[in-house]
Amino acid sequence: MSGTPLAVEHDHEHRRHGAHVHGVAALNLALEGNEVQIELGSPAANIVGFEHAPSSPDDHAALDKAVATLEDGDTLFRFNADAGCRMETVTVTSEMLDGEHDNHDGHAHNESEEHEHDHAGETHSDIEAAYHFECEAPDTLRRLTVEVFEAFPGMEEIKVQYVIERKQGAASLTAKDHVVRF
Amino acid sequence: MAILSLAWKSLLNRRFTALLTLASIALSVTLLVGVERLRTEARASFANTLSGTDLIVGARSGPVQLLLYSVFRIGDATNNLSWESYQDIAAHPKVAWTVPISLGDSHRGFRVLGTTEAYFEHYRYGRDRRLSFEEGQPFSDLYDAVLGAEVADTLGYQIGDAIIVAHGAGEVSFAKHDDKPFRVLGILERTGTPVDRTVHVSLEAIEAIHVDWQSGAPIPGLSISADQARAMDLTPKAITAFLVGLESKIATFQVQRFVNEYPEEPLLAILPGVALSQLWDLIGVAENVLLIVSAFVVVVSLFGMLTALLTSLNERRREMAILRSVGARPGHVFALIMGEAGFLTLLGVLSGMALLYLALIAGQPLIERRFGIFVPIGGPTPYEWGLLGAVIAAGFLVGSIPSYRAYRLSLADGLAVRI
């Protein structure tokens, strides 16, 4: 059965659903050389409090604020100081952001319909943020303090997977215990 | 200074009990720190059962399950994955190497693993150690087998012996691939990992012994001999799992997502280090129990010291009275007993550590050979210092009880001792 043309590229997107648990987010961290890559993926509800496409000005304001907070990687992720890690780039992506500009040009009617629909709990949206850090002394990297809980009270648990050179590991963070020790 | 020499002489006078107390403290400290060290190393060694592999890919199930059957040969795969999917993922630009694994058959209770020569080249365990051959070499012919150390030891196989692979993973199997015997070409050195309990053959061999089989039984009337099978196309249709090494560690999560979202087949990619630590969290309760038990042994030995000191107090009331008569204040009496408790504890901790290092130096090669756990002989870790500090503090705390009693007694008795 495998490899049959049935599985057309966009077809599977609709049928497959990753785990989407409100309150829980995933964080991946990889270090190689002096580069650190961090990916944070979370249900949008943890970050902005709703998951429908933004319709009201309030929604947009909340979303913009959340994106701005997410983009401040140096505040959200603090490495032990002697490692000298600085954020270089960040990208925040979400299906909720794709509609941002369309919202202003005459789809208002449709939007509100969709809005009600979403309240029935059928739509789930995720927000993903990818960070790129550079470290001066990657060998001394021992600790990562994750301040995501402070920034987003809707966040209850972050499941962390990390790859640091040859070492792989996992951790589970909560608002109380939000430090990863490598 | 005179009081110190008096205290020393008094202790010498009671040397038998003092030595026993000292020995029990020393042994308990050896046990406590030894257990702590072994447990740290066992954990590290467990996490290093498989090292250098960035991802393990199998049919979609749970991470721990995939780890159990692909690395520990425990349980079975829910599904196999198709050869085409394997080829697709192996061709991903970030993938440096892959090692396919095919499980399902056994030899006298040991699992048979079909793989390629890449296994011997890329499989790493411990701190980046490769598999090495005690004897022989990787398989070259279709019907060659390479045995793990324990398989060879337990079943007493030598290079050149013939072995028959049985269908299925049970200890006793009635369905045997006895028309196609294997020849032992290599025996691996002991690793302390599940590799020791594995019979390795080539992927093509797994295919060859099953060419005339269907649904777990030989097809009646169809018999393809070992030599006829050689001429056939032995590319497998499916494998159980495969190990992946990447060009760059930073691509780990990218490739993991590529596999998990692979549209043609539901697959699962896990980070072995992450799954190993999840598994250890499940089974690692035992290590904490060990540490707690050895902490209790320390407590018991300190109680032993308490008993010894308290019993000695009665014998020493006269001694105290004499000390008082030559000018010792009750505070001195307190310090005397306290000093003795502290001295015994400190000396106990010191000799306990000395004993531990002696045992480590003597036992290190043995532990490594037998269990694959390398216990480095280094200074105490901060956690071990903490344990030692706690023992010493507890020793002083315990010592304060008889000291206080002696202090009270010497106040009450003064110079007159009525025994």
Side-chain angles (χ1 to χ4, degrees), chain A:
Chain A
M1 272 303 153
S2 69
T4 51
L6 267 178
V8 185
E9 258 304 292
H10 52 82
D11 208 16
H12 71 274
E13 292 284 339
H14 297 290
R15 281 196 242 140
R16 189 161 298 158
H17 298 284
H20 179 100
V21 183
H22 285 191
V24 181
L27 188 129
N28 293 337
L29 181 147
L31 165 83
E32 181 155 54
N34 60 347
E35 292 175 70
V36 175
Q37 201 102 34
I38 294 182
E39 302 166 344
L40 177 70
S42 166
N46 303 353
I47 290 176
V48 288
F50 57 85
E51 299 203 338
H52 53 80
S55 49
S56 69
D58 280 357
D59 288 354
H60 282 283
L63 196 56
D64 288 347
K65 186 166 163 278
V67 171
T69 313
L70 276 178
E71 281 175 346
D72 187 6
D74 281 326
T75 309
L76 290 181
F77 303 105
R78 288 189 291 109
F79 296 92
N80 49 303
D82 44 339
C85 300
R86 289 270 166 281
M87 192 183 82
E88 294 289 314
T89 57
V90 57
T91 38
V92 178
T93 48
S94 170
E95 53 266 58
M96 290 166 74
L97 294 166
D98 298 342
E100 274 276 62
H101 297 292
D102 297 335
N103 289 336
H104 303 291
D105 43 53
H107 292 295
H109 187 64
N110 284 344
E111 292 291 338
S112 68
E113 264 180 18
E114 232 175 65
H115 190 128
E116 274 170 33
H117 192 60
D118 296 343
H119 271 291
E122 297 217 358
T123 298
H124 287 303
S125 304
D126 291 302
I127 294 183
E128 263 141 42
Y131 304 86
H132 184 95
F133 286 77
E134 301 240 321
C135 300
E136 284 160 20
D139 296 345
T140 62
L141 201 66
R142 290 182 311 274
R143 226 173 34 243
L144 170 68
T145 311
V146 178
E147 298 295 3
V148 175
F149 298 100
E150 193 109 314
F152 305 110
M155 204 71 89
E156 285 162 25
E157 192 192 354
I158 299 182
K159 295 196 155 124
V160 184
Q161 293 189 99
Y162 60 84
V163 180
I164 299 216
E165 299 295 336
R166 305 200 66 87
K167 188 170 178 261
Q168 301 181 334
S172 176
L173 302 182
T174 59
K176 268 193 194 140
D177 175 22
H178 55 110
V179 181
V180 190
R181 287 173 187 83
F182 304 120

Side-chain angles (χ1 to χ4, degrees), chain B residues 4-18:
Chain B
L4 273 186
S5 102
L6 279 177
W8 175 242
K9 285 189 172 134
S10 157
L11 194 59
L12 278 187
N13 201 35
R14 290 171 287 116
R15 57 182 168 271
F16 193 62
T17 26

